[in-house]
Amino acid sequence: VNLILLEPGDMSGPEVATLTGARARHAMAVLKAVPGHAIRIGMINGALGTGIVTTMTDRTVSLQCVFEVELPPRPRVDLLLALPRPKVLRRLWAQLAALGVGQVILTNAERVERNYFDTHVVTEACFRPLLIEGLQQARDTWLPTVTVHKQFRVLIEDNLTTLFPVGRRLVAHPGQPHANAGLTTIDSTERVLLTVGPEGGWNAFELGLLAKHGFERVDMGGRTLWTDTACIALLALIHNALRKKDHEEGTLSSQNTQSR
Amino acid sequence: VNLILLEPGDMSGPEVATLTGARARHAMAVLKAVPGHAIRIGMINGALGTGIVTTMTDRTVSLQCVFEVELPPRPRVDLLLALPRPKVLRRLWAQLAALGVGQVILTNAERVERNYFDTHVVTEACFRPLLIEGLQQARDTWLPTVTVHKQFRVLIEDNLTTLFPVGRRLVAHPGQPHANAGLTTIDSTERVLLTVGPEGGWNAFELGLLAKHGFERVDMGGRTLWTDTACIALLALIHNALRKKDHEEGTLSSQNTQSR
């Protein structure tokens, strides 16, 4: 943990927080908190900052907090993901938050098993702590929003303009040489929606519907990857393309200078 | 599994293979093999090909094999990795093979726990089946070679010129803006050695020794990632850079056209 994330409910004043439970234990056992000790903190969906330990009990750690004025930039990449096997999704949550995604849109597809939707890993009780773990690893505060859609066609035709109104739409699918041209022409000011299909691939109807709704294909060079590996690899490529554009345009965002 | 990998011991003639054990069960249960059925195969460290099922027993599947003349290209990226936590390394093996690495060089570092070297995950009995699983996922045949080095300094000063004689040396470490310039200047003809440190980071001596031996820094934009996420993300960036160079130079390798 490289940051302790606070929730509004932890605050007993604008600058006073009290850690309880696992976070208090972490502060005591791992960070060796003692009064006067400074701890990196962040307010969930808010600013980064520093907490000075004021008082401690055997179960709580109280902090006097100072927050930065500027919020960290919200990740500019969203992920539309055909619901993977529960085991894979469980591994993926924290890594997605660590890499940085604004939202995760989970969808059905022909090659998604229906019973995946009934599993614990698509419940907030499961994914919220994992997402927070990822944010604390990467020192970010922006909790990805998560929505679950059981009807692919309704999602793409009716809901997507609300969920992702403006930006670049990309779909990962093997089979098109030079397809990564899409990545090299990313504009640093736009949001990017990355779409990753089921491990068996999209069917022709799904690919057609995506194409009709402005999704451009990207691929990973002909190697077929597991969903989690593919998501991480493609998010890394997109973040790097956005970052490079920032550098080229001399508008290095605060994301690239913070936490150095 | 998108490919069944054969070992020399499976062959009872240059073109006759007999699958036993888990691979035979997979061929029967998942691939629904029946005589006449074609199965994608590859010879470990050799050619890709097709196996036509000839005869079957309840425990074996025999194949008449046709191999391609050209071998798949060997991955041009090697990984030098400070030994991560066993749990992380176990997750990583198959994904490394799926993404494509020529060799994995595991090393000690100050912030690596000594007892990690005594765990099952650094034994061939553990990692070989996982690497094969990754190759079968990505349809590759090149089994990464793995070496384990308990003395970082001896590795860098004495052994590295043998393990990695010629090519670009990169070290992932946060803290240097614009550091990914190293990635944009990769030459498609060179090998790349990516070095990823312990989760607590390299110490100053280790970074100095790497710099003295020609390692250039790259980073992931200020977000601190877990070792497995960082390895996957950086391998994706390097493979993409090599691939883009191939396209620009019009020397599209067979790696990019196979299995499409």
Side-chain angles (χ1 to χ4, degrees):
Chain A
V1 171
N2 297 306
L3 177 78
I4 286 193
L5 269 186
L6 304 174
E7 309 258 0
D10 299 323
M11 309 304 290
S12 53
E15 292 174 350
V16 180
T18 302
L19 302 178
T20 56
R23 290 171 305 159
R25 287 193 296 275
H26 181 82
M28 291 189 259
V30 180
L31 305 179
K32 315 284 183 203
V34 289
H37 192 123
I39 290 175
R40 273 179 214 260
I41 55 168
M43 176 57 68
I44 210 154
N45 294 329
L48 296 166
T50 304
I52 307 291
V53 178
T54 51
T55 55
M56 294 172 63
T57 69
D58 56 350
R59 289 168 177 236
T60 66
V61 175
S62 293
L63 303 171
Q64 178 69 34
C65 304
V66 181
F67 290 102
E68 294 175 8
V69 175
E70 216 181 320
L71 297 190
R74 190 165 183 127
R76 278 179 295 166
V77 185
D78 295 326
L79 179 66
L80 195 170
L81 179 62
L83 192 60
R85 282 175 290 145
K87 184 181 152 188
V88 171
L89 184 57
R90 180 184 295 276
R91 280 198 304 243
L92 201 45
W93 283 122
Q95 297 187 85
L96 293 179
L99 284 160
V101 294
Q103 64 178 324
V104 180
I105 302 169
L106 292 170
T107 180
N108 202 358
E110 190 202 347
R111 288 170 201 150
V112 168
E113 304 264 348
R114 293 308 137 103
N115 59 12
Y116 293 174
F117 284 92
D118 304 322
T119 55
H120 182 55
V121 291
V122 294
T123 63
E124 192 166 2
C126 175
F127 63 68
R128 194 173 194 277
L130 295 171
L131 291 173
I132 286 176
E133 201 185 309
L135 296 178
Q136 294 187 144
Q137 169 68 24
R139 293 191 194 123
D140 192 5
T141 67
W142 287 107
L143 189 69
T145 57
V146 178
T147 54
V148 181
H149 304 263
K150 290 195 185 176
Q151 295 187 279
F152 178 76
R153 185 175 185 157
V154 172
L155 168 65
I156 302 302
E157 291 187 341
D158 302 339
N159 301 335
L160 204 57
T161 49
T162 308
L163 289 166
F164 188 82
V166 182
R168 197 67 172 273
R169 297 171 172 193
L170 303 175
V171 53
H173 195 76
Q176 199 157 312
H178 303 255
N180 280 354
L183 291 180
T184 60
T185 59
I186 283 176
D187 184 313
S188 70
T189 60
E190 66 192 348
R191 289 196 71 79
V192 176
L193 176 61
L194 169 67
T195 308
V196 175
E199 290 195 348
W202 299 105
N203 71 18
F205 166 78
E206 291 158 351
L207 276 178
L209 195 67
L210 290 169
K212 211 173 107 187
H213 287 80
F215 286 81
E216 297 163 68
R217 288 203 197 177
V218 292
D219 84 307
M220 289 293 306
R223 299 179 83 94
T224 308
L225 301 174
W226 288 288
T227 295
D228 53 341
T229 319
C231 285
I232 295 164
L234 286 160
L235 287 172
L237 292 180
I238 295 170
H239 275 298
N240 192 57
L242 288 170
R243 216 156 71 87
K244 207 175 348 177
K245 287 286 169 183
D246 282 346
H247 286 162
E248 284 169 13
E249 293 166 19
T251 57
L252 187 64
S253 79
S254 57
Q255 184 176 5
N256 297 313
T257 50
Q258 260 161 15
S259 74
R260 288 219 166 121
Chain B
V1 171
N2 296 306
L3 177 78
I4 286 192
L5 269 185
L6 305 173
E7 309 258 0
D10 299 323
M11 308 305 290
S12 53
E15 293 175 350
V16 180
T18 302
L19 303 178
T20 56
R23 289 171 304 159
R25 287 193 296 276
H26 180 83
M28 290 188 256
V30 180
L31 304 179
K32 315 283 183 206
V34 289
H37 191 122
I39 291 175
R40 272 180 214 261
I41 55 169
M43 176 57 66
I44 210 154
N45 294 329
L48 296 166
T50 304
I52 307 291
V53 178
T54 51
T55 55
M56 295 172 62
T57 70
D58 55 351
R59 290 165 177 236
T60 66
V61 175
S62 294
L63 302 172
Q64 177 70 34
C65 304
V66 181
F67 291 101
E68 294 175 10
V69 175
E70 217 180 320
L71 298 190
R74 191 165 182 125
R76 277 177 296 164
V77 185
D78 295 327
L79 179 66
L80 195 170
L81 179 62
L83 191 60
R85 282 176 290 145
K87 184 181 154 190
V88 171
L89 184 57
R90 180 184 296 277
R91 278 198 305 243
L92 201 45
W93 284 121
Q95 297 187 85
L96 293 180
L99 285 161
V101 294
Q103 64 178 324
V104 180
I105 302 169
L106 293 169
T107 180
N108 202 357
E110 190 201 347
R111 288 172 199 147
V112 168
E113 305 263 349
R114 292 307 136 103
N115 60 12
Y116 292 175
F117 284 93
D118 304 323
T119 55
H120 182 55
V121 291
V122 294
T123 64
E124 191 166 1
C126 175
F127 63 68
R128 193 172 195 275
L130 295 171
L131 291 173
I132 286 176
E133 201 184 308
L135 296 178
Q136 294 186 146
Q137 170 68 24
R139 292 190 195 125
D140 192 5
T141 66
W142 287 107
L143 189 68
T145 57
V146 179
T147 53
V148 181
H149 305 263
K150 290 194 185 176
Q151 295 187 278
F152 178 75
R153 185 174 185 159
V154 172
L155 168 64
I156 302 302
E157 290 186 341
D158 302 338
N159 300 335
L160 203 57
T161 49
T162 307
L163 289 166
F164 188 83
V166 182
R168 198 64 172 277
R169 296 170 172 195
L170 303 176
V171 52
H173 195 74
Q176 198 158 311
H178 304 255
N180 280 353
L183 291 180
T184 60
T185 59
I186 284 176
D187 184 312
S188 70
T189 60
E190 65 193 348
R191 289 196 72 78
V192 176
L193 176 61
L194 169 67
T195 308
V196 175
E199 290 195 349
W202 300 104
N203 71 17
F205 166 78
E206 291 158 354
L207 277 178
L209 195 68
L210 290 169
K212 212 173 106 188
H213 287 80
F215 285 82
E216 298 162 69
R217 288 203 198 176
V218 293
D219 86 308
M220 288 292 307
R223 299 178 83 95
T224 309
L225 302 174
W226 287 287
T227 295
D228 52 341
T229 320
C231 285
I232 295 164
L234 287 159
L235 287 172
L237 293 180
I238 294 169
H239 275 297
N240 193 56
L242 288 170
R243 215 156 71 88
K244 207 176 346 179
K245 287 285 168 183
D246 281 346
H247 285 162
E248 284 169 14
E249 293 166 19
T251 58
L252 186 64
S253 80
S254 57
Q255 184 176 6
N256 297 312
T257 50
Q258 260 159 15
S259 74
R260 287 220 167 115

